Amino acid sequence: MVKTASKKTSANGANPKPRLGQNFLVDPSAARRIVEALGDISNRIVIEIGPGRGALTDLLIPQAKRVIGIELDRVLAAQLRMNYATKPNVEILESDFVTAQFPSMVGRRPGPLHDLRPTQPETVDVVGNLPYYITSDIVLRILELHRNIERAVIMVQREVADRISAQPGSRDYGLLSATVQLFARVEKLFTLPPGAFSPPPEVHSSVLRLTMAPRLEELQVEEVTFIAFLKLAFAQKRKTLVNNLRGQYDLAAIRTALKAAGLRPDVRAEAISLEKTAAVFRALQGA
Ligand code: SAM
């Protein structure tokens, strides 16, 4: 997940930091399409991951009820705070999105006394042109927060977008696809060339919309144990499901579970729908 390119000084004097995935969006129509993909945000809190120089933030502020930018780079966070000092609906937190706690992201800022009364936790929308060095961690964190997030529009490396949106049986389907699709409906919206960014990355980028729709109840699976099961099922791509599972489950029980789900004994996890994977999981829990 590399999105690096030549070192280039910005108009505002700060050098982009490749180690922080700093490829800034410089295509205004792409920025507009990304924000539009969030839908009507006039009543929504929007968390932006890595606002950078504000290409998306500038468009979010006039449209959203509240914008919370989480920026890891100290210099950029300070610049953003300065730029938006007169805008009452934006806060910039200098923080790492992967480790920041949700309440500290959306928690009420110091203000009038009535603001301190406990409030119903609101759901938020998330948007971000992601730093590619840490895409998987950020996507997994978004999924962990599925109870708090309604929709996420994220730019990722094109190949990662293909994996996340892939269907079972296709070349790209794997653990990341299954895990994301367990929690969200995935739409691949559009793809941008390297020239849409400064400095240009070495890869194409695609925008995904994840609409949270957790399937845990429908599939009758418990979140933590089923995710651990998916990791095991997809542990080695070239191995059959039986061989990936047999370190942890009885061989006869695995074969019975596959048969009951109508699956061939030599099937691979990459070929099976989430419904069938969940059926095998449930059968093995009882075994
Ligand atoms: N949103 C801007 C744009 O579209 O031009 C910047 C996008 S740039 C690809 C990624 C941004 O994420 C950078 O500003 C970088 O400093 C920031 N970043 C990197 N790692 C981060 C993290 N763990 N948490 C929050 N922001 C991060």
Side-chain angles (χ1 to χ4, degrees):
M1 291 184 202
V2 189
K3 195 185 181 190
T4 331
S6 59
K7 213 174 172 188
K8 195 173 156 194
T9 306
S10 76
N12 58 17
N15 282 325
K17 300 183 181 83
R19 72 183 164 80
L20 289 182
Q22 291 182 355
N23 300 88
F24 300 105
L25 190 61
V26 291
D27 175 341
S29 82
R32 216 179 41 247
R33 289 173 77 191
I34 292 170
V35 172
E36 273 169 15
L38 285 166
D40 178 4
I41 50 172
S42 54
N43 256 319
R44 304 288 299 154
I45 300 176
V46 180
I47 294 185
E48 185 185 358
I49 305 168
R53 295 179 184 156
L56 303 178
T57 334
D58 285 346
L59 302 178
L60 291 168
I61 292 172
Q63 292 185 47
K65 181 173 93 175
R66 189 171 160 209
V67 179
I68 302 165
I70 315 275
E71 175 55 64
L72 184 58
D73 185 316
R74 170 169 299 189
V75 177
L76 287 179
Q79 278 171 353
L80 289 160
R81 274 199 201 116
M82 239 161 49
N83 293 349
Y84 300 130
T86 59
K87 309 283 181 193
N89 67 334
V90 58
E91 294 135 55
I92 301 295
L93 308 183
E94 184 197 320
S95 188
D96 180 340
F97 178 78
V98 177
T99 53
Q101 293 303 303
F102 185 74
S104 75
M105 290 190 232
V106 296
R108 294 192 169 256
R109 306 291 119 204
L113 210 57
H114 67 265
D115 275 355
L116 298 176
R117 270 186 254 144
T119 50
Q120 272 297 97
E122 272 179 89
T123 61
V124 302
D125 294 326
V126 166
V127 68
N129 167 19
L130 299 191
Y132 291 176
Y133 76 99
I134 200 173
T135 300
S136 298
D137 289 350
I138 290 179
V139 170
L140 294 178
R141 183 71 184 128
I142 290 172
L143 301 180
E144 268 173 22
L145 293 172
H146 66 268
R147 289 181 192 81
N148 305 106
I149 295 173
E150 212 161 289
R151 176 177 313 111
V153 175
I154 50 173
M155 172 117 62
V156 300
Q157 185 176 328
R158 179 173 57 186
E159 291 71 17
V160 176
D162 289 342
R163 279 165 48 207
I164 289 177
S165 55
Q167 290 305 301
S170 69
R171 193 198 54 183
D172 289 324
Y173 188 78
L175 178 60
L176 189 60
S177 341
T179 311
V180 176
Q181 291 170 31
L182 178 61
F183 291 99
R185 266 199 329 275
V186 179
E187 294 162 275
K188 188 174 162 194
L189 300 182
F190 58 92
T191 296
L192 292 174
F197 305 87
S198 172
E202 287 167 356
V203 294
H204 279 64
S205 303
S206 297
V207 175
L208 291 177
R209 177 164 51 209
L210 311 182
T211 306
M212 292 304 157
R215 300 186 63 192
L216 300 163
E217 262 180 47
E218 170 211 337
L219 299 175
Q220 299 165 52
V221 294
E222 190 278 321
E223 184 174 340
V224 176
T225 45
F226 188 56
I227 290 175
F229 182 79
L230 288 177
K231 284 186 185 151
L232 186 66
F234 286 96
Q236 295 203 42
K237 214 172 162 61
R238 266 183 243 110
K239 283 193 177 179
T240 62
L241 182 58
V242 171
N243 282 337
N244 275 330
L245 295 180
R246 64 187 293 181
Q248 206 155 310
Y249 296 96
D250 174 66
L251 183 56
I254 304 171
R255 287 193 173 136
T256 308
L258 291 188
K259 199 164 177 204
L263 294 166
R264 290 165 49 120
D266 61 350
V267 73
R268 287 180 162 73
E270 288 77 7
I272 316 175
S273 66
L274 264 175
E275 288 87 343
K276 296 236 164 181
T277 312
V280 173
F281 169 74
R282 291 194 308 267
L284 288 172
Q285 295 310 98

